[in-house]
Amino acid sequence: MSRKLWRKPMILIGCLILLFYMVVACLAPALVPNNPDEIHLDSLFLPADATYPLGTDFLGRCSYSRLIMASRHTLGAALLIEGIVLVVGVTIGGLAGYFKGWLDKVIISIIDILLAFPGIILALVIAGMLGPGMKNLIIAVSAVHWIGYARIVRNMVISVKEKEFVTAAVSLGSNHPQIIFKHILPNILPFILVYATLNLGLLILNIAGLSFLGLGVQPPTAEWGAMLNEARPYFRDYPALMLLPGAAILVIGLAFQLIGEGLRDILSPRASQLGLEKRILAELEE
Amino acid sequence: MKSYVFKRLLQLIPVLLGVSVVTFTLIHLAPGDPAHFMLQKTGAEPTKEALQALRHEMGLDLPIWQQYLRWCEQILQLNLGISIKSGDTVLKELLDRLPATLELAASSLAFVVLVAFPLGIFSAMYKGRWIDQLSRAMAIVFGAMPRFWLGLLFIYFFAVKFHVLPVAGRGDAVHLLLPTLTLGLGMSANYARLLRTSLLEVFSQEYVRAARARGVKPGQLVINYGLKNALVPILTAFGMSLGQLLGGSAIIETVFSWPGIGKFALESIMNRDYMVVQGYALLMALIFVVVNLCIDVACMLLDPKTKKLQVKQAGGGK
C-alpha cells in the first residue's frame, strides 16, 4: 500500500504542505524577526517593509512574526487534542466492541446522548461554561471529538471479531490481550489512522472557529482564529490582517482534504472487504 | 409502521433523560460559584444577601440530586430560568430570536437544494468531465475553508470594496444573501458529491443498464431510478448537517450581526448569563433530536428495508 500512496499526487502535495507547516511550527522562534507580542504604538498598521516583512497590526505588532508563531498554537492544540481523543476514543470504543454486553450498552447510551447535541454546539457551550482559555478549549473540543472515534472503533472491532481468523485464534486458546493486540488492532489500525488524519483537519477548523469567537487562546498570544477575531474591527481598511491568518488555515485545511481524497480512493476497496467502507465514509462526512 | 414510530419514540426517552443530565451539568462546569459570577456581571461586588437570594433561587444551596429534580420539574413547566442580563425569561429571549435563525437556516437549505441537485445530477451524468471536476474541487476547497473567514471575505469584497450588498444586520432579502452563501456553499458541494455517488451507484445496477439499452433517455433515468434511490442518503445526511446549520449559525450570525439565537448564545456566554446558555443547549438538542426522528420516519416510509436494519444495530443511527 505504501508504494501506492506516493503515486497519488494529491496525497503527495498534501503531505508536502503538512511537512512545511510542521517545519515552520518547529522552527518558529528562529524564523521570526520580531517579538510577536511586542506592542509598538508608534507604528500601527504599517505596510510591509524591511523590519516588518508583512507590516504591523492594530497594536503595531509584527504581522509576520505573529502569523508564524500562531502555527505553534493552532497545530500544537490540534495535535494534543488528537492524541487525547485517539487514546480515549479507541479505548472506550474498543472495550465496547470487544466485550459487548452491558458495557457496550452503557457506552452506546452515553454516545447516543452526546450525539443528541449538535457537535459544534456542545463544544461551544462547554467551552463557554468553562470560560475562555486554551486549556478549556482543549477540554471542550476533546469532549466532542472522542465520540466519533469510539463509535467507529466499536463498529470496526465488532465486525473484525466476527471474522474467522479471530474465531480460530480463540479456539487455539489465545487470551484477550493476544486477540486484541495481535489480531484485531493490526486490522483496524490503517482505518483509525486515516480517520485521525482527516479528523486533524476538522480539529484545526474547530479550534480556529472557537478562538475566533474569543473562547480559545487569550491575547496577546497569537493563534490564527484569534488573529482573525482581533482583525475584525479593522479589516475593512486593512484587509491583509484578515486575509493572511485565514489563508494559513485554508491551506493546511486543503492539505488534509487532499490527503483525505487520495486515501479514500486507495482504501475504499479494502474497507469494503470488511464491510466498513460506508460507515467510515459516512462518519467522515460528518 | 406505527410500531416503528412507537419504538423510536421509546428509544427517545433515555436519550432525552441523558440530554437533561448533560444540560443540567453544564452549569456546574462554570468555575467557582455561578451565582457569584452572574451577580458580578451585573455590576459591583455582590452583597451576601443578594448572593444567597440568587443561590436559593437557582437552587444552588440544595444537594445536587435535589437540584437536578427541581430543575427537571421547572423544565417540564417550560421554565428555563431568567436571563440575568435582560430580566426576561430565558424561553422568551430564545424564542424571540429563533425566527431569525430559522430564516437563515431555511434560506441556506433552499440554496443548497437549488445548487446541489443540478450540480450533483450533472456530475453523475457527465462523470469525469469538467462539471464533475468542478464539484469535486468545490467540495475540497469549501471543506477546508473556515466559514467565518469566508464570511469576512464576502463582507470585504461585496460590501466594503464594491458596495453591492449590505454589510450586516437583518432586513430584506438582500441581507440574507451573504450569510446564506457563507453557510450554503460548502454544504451544497458536499451534497452534490453525495448525490453523485448514489446516482452512480444506481446507474451501475443492471435494471438501469437494461433500461438504458432499451433507449430510455438519461434524464428519465435520473428522475425515474436515480433520485428515488438517492433520497434516503440525502435525507439522512441532512439530519446530520442540521447540526451544522444550527451550530454553524452561531459563528455566521456573529460575523454578519444577524440577530439570531446563536449570536445571542455567544453574547450570553461572554456575559456569563449561564441560564441562557443552558437553555440554548437544551433547545438546540431538542430541535436536533425531533427533526432527526422525523427524518428517520420519512426514510422508513421511503425505504422500509434499510431502516429495519438500522433499528437493529443500536447506536448505528445518526
Side-chain angles (χ1 to χ4, degrees):
Chain A
M1 194 173 96
S2 57
R3 224 183 306 139
K4 233 160 132 194
L5 274 179
W6 300 112
R7 250 187 269 144
K8 290 262 168 195
M10 284 199 291
I11 296 187
L12 192 65
I13 295 171
C15 286
L16 286 178
I17 298 176
L18 274 193
L19 192 69
F20 173 72
Y21 271 75
M22 289 295 173
V23 170
V24 167
C26 290
L27 300 180
L31 292 173
V32 296
N34 300 296
N35 179 346
D37 301 334
E38 201 173 287
I39 296 172
H40 303 278
L41 290 177
D42 53 342
S43 45
L44 309 183
F45 302 116
L46 287 185
D49 61 19
T51 346
Y52 304 111
L54 292 173
T56 59
D57 70 357
F58 64 102
L59 289 175
R61 297 174 294 194
C62 172
S63 292
Y64 173 74
S65 304
R66 287 183 72 71
L67 195 68
I68 299 288
M69 276 311 245
S71 65
R72 301 196 123 195
H73 298 112
T74 312
L75 296 184
L79 285 175
L80 182 61
I81 296 175
E82 186 73 56
I84 295 173
V85 295
L86 196 68
V87 171
V88 174
V90 171
T91 310
I92 293 183
L95 288 176
Y98 188 79
F99 290 108
K100 302 268 277 191
W102 64 268
L103 186 69
D104 185 38
K105 286 214 176 82
V106 171
I107 290 173
I108 281 300
S109 322
I110 293 175
I111 289 177
D112 274 347
I113 288 163
L114 290 177
L115 284 178
F117 296 89
I120 314 171
I121 290 180
L122 194 59
L124 181 72
V125 294
I126 293 178
M129 281 296 187
L130 290 170
M134 199 55 167
K135 195 183 90 199
N136 292 340
L137 178 136
I138 290 172
I139 296 173
V141 177
S142 306
V144 174
H145 274 263
W146 71 271
I147 304 170
Y149 278 98
R151 208 164 56 149
I152 199 169
V153 169
R154 169 191 177 267
N155 290 340
M156 286 195 291
V157 168
I158 287 178
S159 46
V160 173
K161 214 187 157 193
E162 282 166 2
K163 298 276 169 233
E164 275 158 14
F165 59 85
V166 176
T167 323
V170 174
S171 54
L172 285 173
S174 302
N175 55 22
H176 291 315
Q178 278 172 339
I179 295 171
I180 292 174
F181 291 106
K182 268 177 74 183
H183 299 290
I184 294 184
L185 209 55
N187 268 294
I188 61 174
L189 204 60
F191 303 105
I192 297 179
L193 289 181
V194 173
Y195 187 76
T197 312
L198 300 187
N199 197 45
L200 208 50
L202 214 59
L203 277 177
I204 289 175
L205 284 184
N206 277 353
I207 293 167
L210 288 174
S211 294
F212 173 72
L213 294 175
L215 289 168
V217 297
Q218 294 303 295
T221 311
E223 191 276 343
W224 293 322
M227 287 171 75
L228 284 169
N229 187 23
E230 290 172 350
R232 273 177 70 201
Y234 314 104
F235 78 85
R236 276 158 211 176
D237 299 316
Y238 304 99
L241 291 181
M242 173 267 289
L243 286 174
L244 294 171
I249 306 173
L250 174 68
V251 172
I252 194 167
L254 275 178
F256 285 110
Q257 287 283 326
L258 289 175
I259 296 174
E261 280 283 318
L263 284 176
R264 221 170 278 220
D265 293 348
I266 294 175
L267 277 180
S268 297
R270 241 195 107 191
S272 50
Q273 275 172 16
L274 291 169
L276 295 170
E277 180 197 18
K278 280 203 172 154
R279 278 187 204 155
I280 296 185
L281 295 187
E283 198 78 32
L284 288 174
E285 295 297 327
E286 220 172 318
Chain B
M1 173 65 208
K2 256 187 203 154
S3 72
Y4 173 75
V5 176
F6 186 67
K7 220 186 259 168
R8 288 285 294 144
L9 282 174
L10 268 186
Q11 281 177 353
L12 217 56
I13 294 172
V15 169
L16 288 180
L17 268 177
V19 165
S20 76
V21 174
V22 173
T23 318
F24 169 76
T25 317
L26 276 178
I27 210 153
H28 294 277
L29 288 179
D33 182 357
H36 190 94
F37 261 122
M38 285 165 83
L39 285 177
Q40 251 183 350
K41 274 284 166 185
T42 58
E45 192 63 20
T47 61
K48 244 188 172 160
E49 292 77 45
L51 195 61
Q52 271 200 330
L54 183 66
R55 284 179 63 83
H56 184 70
E57 194 197 305
M58 291 170 72
L60 290 172
D61 48 357
L62 300 171
I64 195 120
W65 62 273
Q66 276 184 27
Q67 283 185 37
Y68 173 67
L69 289 182
R70 201 183 102 127
W71 183 78
C72 283
E73 201 183 309
Q74 286 174 347
I75 295 298
L76 290 176
Q77 293 163 359
L78 295 182
N79 174 8
L80 298 179
I82 305 279
S83 159
I84 282 290
K85 185 94 190 298
S86 67
D88 269 327
T89 65
V90 171
L91 189 67
K92 180 180 175 296
E93 293 273 4
L94 289 176
L95 290 183
D96 277 353
R97 287 167 175 88
L98 191 59
T101 297
L102 291 183
E103 184 184 309
L104 185 55
S107 82
S108 307
L109 193 64
F111 176 82
V112 169
V113 170
L114 282 178
V115 174
F117 272 85
L119 194 59
I121 291 172
F122 285 120
S123 297
M125 283 170 72
Y126 302 104
K127 185 184 162 195
R129 305 266 283 279
W130 68 269
I131 188 145
D132 190 21
Q133 302 295 349
L134 174 77
S135 68
R136 189 175 197 190
M138 270 177 72
I140 291 179
V141 171
F142 288 116
M145 178 96 72
R147 292 240 191 94
F148 50 93
W149 188 56
L150 186 64
L152 293 178
L153 285 180
F154 279 149
I155 292 181
Y156 182 72
F157 283 106
F158 290 106
V160 180
K161 205 142 190 210
F162 300 114
H163 304 285
V164 281
L165 290 168
V167 173
R170 186 181 178 210
D172 41 25
V174 204
H175 285 87
L176 257 174
L177 201 59
L178 287 184
T180 299
L181 276 178
T182 312
L183 264 174
L185 266 174
M187 271 174 72
S188 44
N190 272 344
Y191 277 75
R193 297 309 285 174
L194 191 67
L195 187 61
R196 169 189 177 273
T197 311
S198 48
L199 283 179
L200 286 179
E201 207 170 287
V202 178
F203 287 167
S204 68
Q205 302 285 324
E206 267 183 18
Y207 67 93
V208 181
R209 295 225 303 267
R212 183 177 294 179
R214 279 202 310 275
V216 179
K217 289 196 183 108
Q220 276 174 325
L221 283 181
V222 170
I223 294 166
N224 292 346
Y225 302 107
L227 289 182
K228 210 177 129 198
N229 253 298
L231 220 49
V232 169
I234 293 265
L235 265 177
T236 317
F238 167 68
M240 288 192 258
S241 40
L242 178 77
Q244 272 185 31
L245 275 182
L246 291 174
S249 66
I251 293 181
I252 302 303
E253 283 173 9
T254 306
V255 170
F256 288 98
S257 307
W258 187 261
I261 205 165
K263 178 167 172 282
F264 178 58
L266 209 71
E267 288 162 3
S268 303
I269 285 176
M270 293 309 168
N271 290 324
R272 299 201 171 273
D273 203 342
Y274 293 133
M275 304 283 239
V276 175
V277 183
Q278 212 177 18
Y280 168 72
L282 189 66
L283 186 64
M284 290 297 115
L286 277 182
I287 296 178
F288 197 44
V289 167
V290 169
V291 172
N292 270 305
L293 176 74
C294 297
I295 286 176
D296 278 359
V297 173
C299 286
M300 156 80 178
L301 285 175
L302 286 168
D303 190 357
K305 214 169 41 203
T306 50
K307 285 321 267 194
K308 261 182 202 149
L309 276 171
Q310 275 213 358
V311 177
K312 268 191 202 157
Q313 33 169 282
K318 297 142 295 261

